[in-house]
Each structure stands twice: as structure tokens, then as C-alpha cells.
Amino acid sequence: MASFIGMKQLLAILMIVFALPCFSQKKYEIYYQSETDENIQLTVIVYDVKEKQADSYASLYAIQSLIFDGIKGSKRRYLPYVQDEKQSFEEHSAYYHNLFDNGGFWSFIIASAIVEKGKTEKKEKYYVVNLNVNHKALKDSLSNHNVIRRFGV
């Protein structure tokens, strides 16, 4: 009998664990717009933030996506610059601290503008932000700080 109750509890826990992602709110979406040799234009939608913070969060998410996730839809197929996020954070914590916690990511943002704001069907606020990011300077910075290696080096 005791093992049956334990099995029920285990099943309940597993159901909760697997159901949570279905109900969790997304924080952002990133869409590729265009690019040049040095810059990439992105549209970022940020959810559940204050208007004053929308620009900052959109810029931060764009830089994080370029580094760790890549950008879908680009002609150049922007793959993530860093393949192992956890290991990279451990090895280059000072660089990432400066980049993310101290606002270093702003040095790679050429322009940003909130172009739309509204509420979702669930009454969640969202802001649409257009960004122009200097991806070449970001990649050069990662390389100069030995976070990534250039091909042939």
C-alpha cells in the first residue's frame, strides 16, 4: 500500500514537471530582419516588463541570443558563437559579468526603438523593439577576450 501511495505522488510530481513548460510565459521572441557585413537588424518582442525596461531587456536578449542561441532566418545562418554556455560562463565569468551585469552589451547596440506596445489576450504587456546590433564588434570582443576562437587561429 505504501509503495502505491509513493507511485501516486511520483506520478503527480512528474505531471507537474512536464506540464509547467506548457503554462510558462515566454519572456521574449527574436525575429531576423536584415543584415550587413557588420550589423544585424532584429525585432525583439519582450513580455511582462515595464516600458522603461523594454529597451534594456530587448537589447540584452538579443546579445544573449547571438552568443548562445544563434539567430534563425539570417542569410548567414547565425549559429551560436558559444557552443557550451555553462562551460563558457565558468571559464569567462569576469567577461560575462561585465557584458551582462554591468551593461557592457550596450556597446554593441547601434540603435534601438520601441515601435509598438500592447497587451496579449492574457492581458500581459508586450513591447516590440527594433534593434541594430554590431555583430562583428561582438564577435571581435568575444575573440579578443578568448571566449571564442577565430577559424585558422
Side-chain angles (χ1 to χ4, degrees):
M1 183 79 160
S3 63
F4 182 70
I5 293 171
M7 183 62 85
K8 279 185 172 179
Q9 290 172 338
L10 177 63
L11 286 173
I13 291 170
L14 288 173
M15 286 175 46
I16 290 170
V17 168
F18 288 110
L20 280 177
C22 297
F23 297 109
S24 65
Q25 300 290 330
K26 55 187 164 190
K27 293 181 180 182
Y28 66 95
E29 296 175 50
I30 296 183
Y31 298 96
Y32 168 83
Q33 298 301 325
S34 64
E35 64 193 286
T36 67
D37 288 339
E38 293 189 4
N39 301 329
I40 184 169
Q41 290 73 38
L42 304 169
T43 296
V44 181
I45 304 171
V46 291
Y47 297 92
D48 201 28
V49 298
K50 295 179 181 177
E51 186 169 3
K52 291 180 181 179
Q53 300 171 322
D55 194 39
S56 295
Y57 277 105
S59 299
L60 177 64
Y61 293 146
I63 296 297
Q64 287 177 337
S65 291
L66 276 166
I67 296 172
F68 302 116
D69 302 324
I71 303 295
K72 295 176 185 169
S74 168
K75 295 174 192 172
R76 297 174 199 224
R77 305 176 108 200
Y78 283 95
L79 299 174
Y81 293 147
V82 172
Q83 301 302 315
D84 188 339
E85 182 176 343
K86 183 179 177 184
Q87 180 181 355
S88 186
F89 264 104
E90 289 173 2
E91 293 176 5
H92 307 286
S93 61
Y95 178 80
Y96 288 122
H97 176 71
N98 183 55
L99 184 66
F100 298 131
D101 299 333
N102 292 337
F105 64 90
W106 283 113
S107 63
F108 306 108
I109 305 298
I110 306 300
S112 65
I114 297 174
V115 295
E116 182 183 332
K117 61 183 176 180
K119 290 188 178 184
T120 65
E121 292 175 2
K122 296 180 181 179
K123 306 293 183 207
E124 182 181 44
K125 290 181 184 178
Y126 71 86
Y127 298 92
V128 179
V129 182
N130 285 344
L131 294 174
N132 187 349
V133 180
N134 188 330
H135 67 83
K136 183 180 182 312
L138 175 61
K139 196 168 189 176
D140 288 346
S141 175
L142 291 166
S143 178
N144 292 340
H145 288 89
N146 296 316
V147 177
I148 63 171
R149 290 185 47 193
R150 293 276 189 188
F151 289 109
V153 177

